[in-house]
Amino acid sequence: MELATVKRLFTHPIKGLTPVECDRVFLTAGHGIKGDRAFALMFADSIDAANRPALQNIPWLSKKHFAVQNDWPGLAALLCQYEPDSATLTVKKEEVTVLEANIETATGRDLISSFFTEYISTIEPTKEARHPMKLPLFFVGDRSGETRYPDREPVHISLLSQATLDNLSAVAGKFVDVRRFRPNIVVDGVAAWEEFNWIGNSFQLGDAIISVTAKIGRCANIEVNPDTGDRDLPLFSLLQQEFGHAQTGILAKITTSGDVKIGNQLTNNK
């Protein structure tokens, strides 16, 4: 039975920075989407000096070790575009290019690290920031896609229904941009909050098979405007006041690898 249709797909090459919308992704069992959160900006006090030559291969760590929008909302004001074919990261602010660097070279990675170190020195962390200190940042991760820095160590992808997003917009009285929730997959054709009922079940999604594991507990990052970096919409408190929880979307693990594209159906896996 068809449950939903894939409406939008996203990856987030660099943890905490600009998402990339795409028309297809490949789900890899035991990993997720290779290239999603494959890079990150790590604070110097989280890296042993002896390990700095091996920054490309830093293993997973919790997000308190990284510069992320939840702690540094001003990061959202940067448009960060990563081109995997050329291994080039381009950063724009107010439509002006402020950085262009090749992540495959030591010089390029040093430029990226220096740029973001300088940038966070000009913005302020939130009161609740896990890491509020303005320390040097190091660009970590591997172009192969094998490195991964999602918020949770267990392998997962995230899904959200368009109806849930529309319901939140109606309650907030203002358009709620899906990028606030940083999902991998947006599905259409189901009732608002219906995805919560899928937990514990297995589904065919395109050519892949996924198993839905949990609701996603949210943080204050959903209050950050994805274009300006301003905390301009109190979604975190709105969820608690209007719905009695602070959860949106679901997590899923991939049990069988496969291609997923816009228009694919989510169906019960028999």
Side-chain angles (χ1 to χ4, degrees), residues 32-45:
I33 301 172
K34 289 192 175 183
D36 186 50
R37 281 92 169 180
F39 305 102
L41 299 164
M42 181 176 283
F43 285 102
D45 60 349

Side-chain angles (χ1 to χ4, degrees), residues 24-27 203-210 256-261 264-265:
R24 66 174 60 213
V25 295
F26 189 81
L27 304 186
F203 301 94
Q204 184 87 34
L205 180 61
D207 296 329
I209 296 176
I210 66 171
T256 300
S257 301
D259 199 49
V260 177
K261 59 186 179 181
N264 279 165
Q265 301 298 314

Side-chain angles (χ1 to χ4, degrees), residues 3-12 19-25 27 33 157-168 175-192 195 198 205-206 210 216 218 248-250 260-266:
L3 296 179
T5 302
V6 176
K7 180 180 176 69
R8 302 178 77 178
L9 295 167
F10 294 92
T11 62
H12 306 78
V20 175
E21 190 160 10
C22 44
D23 59 7
R24 66 174 60 213
V25 295
L27 304 186
I33 301 172
I157 57 171
S158 58
L159 298 89
L160 178 67
S161 78
Q162 182 63 49
T164 297
L165 192 63
D166 292 343
N167 184 223
L168 283 171
F175 170 69
V176 176
D177 194 310
V178 66
R179 293 175 296 166
R180 291 178 183 265
F181 300 94
R182 304 181 73 77
N184 294 122
I185 300 173
V186 179
V187 296
D188 206 0
V190 294
E195 58 267 39
W198 300 344
L205 180 61
I210 66 171
I216 302 175
R218 296 297 177 176
T248 56
I250 51 177
V260 177
K261 59 186 179 181
I262 301 296
N264 279 165
Q265 301 298 314
L266 179 79

Side-chain angles (χ1 to χ4, degrees), residues 51-127:
N51 290 330
R52 287 182 184 172
L55 292 177
Q56 288 176 293
N57 300 311
I58 295 290
W60 181 90
L61 290 169
S62 64
K63 69 179 179 182
K64 70 180 181 180
H65 298 281
F66 304 102
V68 293
Q69 287 182 23
N70 181 54
D71 295 341
W72 301 88
L75 287 169
L78 299 174
L79 175 62
C80 303
Q81 299 170 307
Y82 171 61
E83 174 48 60
D85 291 340
S86 63
T88 301
L89 174 65
T90 302
V91 180
K92 295 182 178 181
K93 190 173 191 301
E94 298 176 350
E95 301 184 358
V96 176
T97 299
V98 291
L99 174 69
E100 187 171 272
N102 188 309
I103 68 156
E104 285 285 271
T105 68
T107 298
R109 295 174 77 93
D110 286 346
L111 283 172
I112 296 168
S113 300
S114 296
F115 171 82
F116 282 100
T117 296
E118 173 62 26
Y119 184 73
I120 68 160
S121 75
T122 68
I123 60 177
E124 293 302 320
T126 64
K127 292 185 299 183

